[in-house]
């Protein structure tokens, strides 16, 4: 009887132990942490890529095309105030210099990888463009050309766009900014022009080239030709007047 009671007690304890033991083993709590960290890392990388893509699209399809609008507007203001009769060829050549200071870094950025050399060119060109812009306004004012408030406001856009482009480019490539600050140490290609590993679409490059030719080269080329022709006419008129004056003096003598 005691054996039966002992067996019953043993059987009862085993039954309760089996009832308390879960049929499906629980997952270790430690596996959820790596899974969460992987998810957060993937989300952070996706967010970073999205920001880079948005900034790149802003530079390609927003900032760069918007440069043509104030450029054409500035040309219209020069034509309205008859630049060929005031500051003439000198100011028109300054405009051509400013377009070159902006255009060369743009072409290099479209064709080559961003590295310390390219950033140095961008920084130098931006500084030169700002100094040339001051020279341009001083030349226009000293020539008594009427630089109206609208034209001055247009100049503010033309001066700020290179800074905006440079700032966006540096935000996209912080590693190259750090390399520039270190003097390119440890990077054998830091001071070389390296072609883009992923070239921009040819259609996009062709569209930019067409826009530059239509909205920059054509109007400002026309302005320069107009100023040169008017300058030649003025010089011819002055020579004729001086010749006539000498002839009158000879007759009077």
């Amino acid at each position: 009887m005691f054996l039966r009671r002992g067996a019953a007690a043993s059987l009862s304890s085993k039954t309760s132990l089996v009832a308390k033991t879960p049929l499906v083993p629980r997952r270790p709590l430690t596996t959820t942490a790596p899974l969460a960290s992987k998810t957060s890392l993937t989300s952070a990388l996706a967010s970073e890529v999205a920001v880079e893509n948005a900034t790149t699209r802003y530079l390609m399809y927003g900032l760069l095309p918007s440069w043509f609008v104030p450029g054409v507007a500035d040309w219209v203001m020069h034509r309205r105030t008859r630049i060929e009769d005031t500051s003439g060829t000198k100011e028109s050549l300054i405009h051509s210099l400013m377009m070159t200071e902006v255009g060369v870094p743009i072409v290099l950025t479209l064709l080559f990888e961003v590295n310390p050399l390219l950033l140095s060119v961008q920084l130098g060109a931006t500084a030169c463009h700002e100094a040339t812009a001051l020279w341009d306004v001083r030349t226009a004012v000293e020539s008594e050309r009427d630089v109206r408030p609208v034209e001055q406001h247009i100049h503010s856009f033309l001066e700020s766009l290179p800074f905006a482009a440079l700032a966006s480019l540096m935000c996209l490539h912080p590693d190259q900014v750090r390399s520039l600050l270190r003097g390119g140490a440890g990077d054998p290609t830091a001071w070389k022009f390296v072609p883009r590993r992923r070239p921009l679409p040819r259609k996009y490059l062709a569209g930019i080239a067409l826009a530059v030719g239509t909205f920059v080269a054509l109007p400002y080329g026309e302005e320069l030709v107009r100023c040169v022709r008017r300058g030649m006419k003025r010089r011819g008129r002055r020579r004729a007047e001086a010749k006539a004056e000498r002839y009158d003096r000879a007759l009077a003598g």
Side-chain angles (χ1 to χ4, degrees):
M1 185 170 181
F2 287 109
L3 291 173
R4 290 179 180 176
R5 286 181 180 178
S10 177
L11 181 62
S12 174
S13 63
K14 289 179 179 179
T15 304
S16 62
L17 180 62
V18 171
K20 292 179 181 179
T21 304
L23 297 178
V24 180
R26 296 179 181 176
R27 292 183 178 179
L29 296 177
T30 55
T31 59
T32 58
L35 182 61
S37 63
K38 288 181 179 179
T39 304
S40 61
L41 179 61
T42 303
S43 177
L45 289 175
S47 176
E48 183 177 351
V49 170
V51 170
E52 289 182 1
N53 290 338
T55 307
T56 302
R57 287 195 299 271
Y58 161 71
L59 284 170
M60 292 176 60
Y61 302 105
L63 190 63
L64 181 53
S66 66
W67 174 54
F68 303 126
V69 178
V72 173
D74 198 33
W75 171 77
V76 171
M77 296 304 300
H78 301 161
R79 191 176 181 85
R80 275 184 160 185
T81 54
R82 302 190 66 79
I83 184 176
E84 66 273 14
D85 293 327
T86 52
S87 53
T89 304
K90 179 181 179 180
E91 188 182 358
S92 185
L93 287 173
I94 294 175
H95 296 158
S96 299
L97 176 60
M98 294 171 68
M99 297 300 168
T100 304
E101 291 167 347
V102 173
V104 170
I106 288 176
V107 172
L108 294 177
T109 305
L110 292 175
L111 298 179
F112 298 100
E113 290 287 338
V114 176
N115 61 6
L117 175 58
L118 187 56
L119 288 176
S120 299
V121 173
Q122 292 270 12
L123 288 166
T126 302
C128 290
H129 182 268
E130 186 64 22
T132 309
L134 294 174
W135 182 26
D136 173 44
V137 175
R138 185 181 299 111
T139 301
V141 172
E142 290 176 353
S143 68
E144 298 182 354
R145 186 171 72 81
D146 186 15
V147 183
R148 300 174 185 178
V150 175
E151 183 177 347
Q152 295 177 11
H153 195 58
I154 293 170
H155 288 172
S156 68
F157 282 99
L158 291 171
E159 292 174 22
S160 61
L161 286 175
F163 287 101
L166 180 59
S168 300
L169 204 64
M170 295 175 77
C171 289
L172 275 176
H173 302 276
D175 55 331
Q176 298 302 323
V177 175
R178 290 191 293 268
S179 179
L180 175 62
L181 294 176
R182 293 193 301 266
D187 185 359
T189 62
W191 303 106
K192 298 178 181 178
F193 287 119
V194 181
R196 279 181 171 269
R197 291 187 294 271
R198 292 185 297 174
L200 295 175
R202 291 185 179 181
K203 290 183 179 180
Y204 174 79
L205 295 177
I208 292 298
L210 180 61
V212 169
T214 304
F215 301 114
V216 179
L218 187 61
Y220 283 92
E222 183 274 336
E223 175 184 284
L224 181 59
V225 170
R226 180 162 31 96
C227 291
V228 169
R229 286 179 175 175
R230 187 58 58 89
M232 292 173 64
K233 288 182 179 179
R234 282 198 299 268
R235 286 192 296 272
R237 191 184 308 118
R238 284 197 295 267
R239 283 197 297 267
E241 291 174 354
K243 185 177 180 180
E245 186 176 354
R246 287 195 302 270
Y247 180 74
D248 292 339
R249 287 178 181 175
L251 289 178

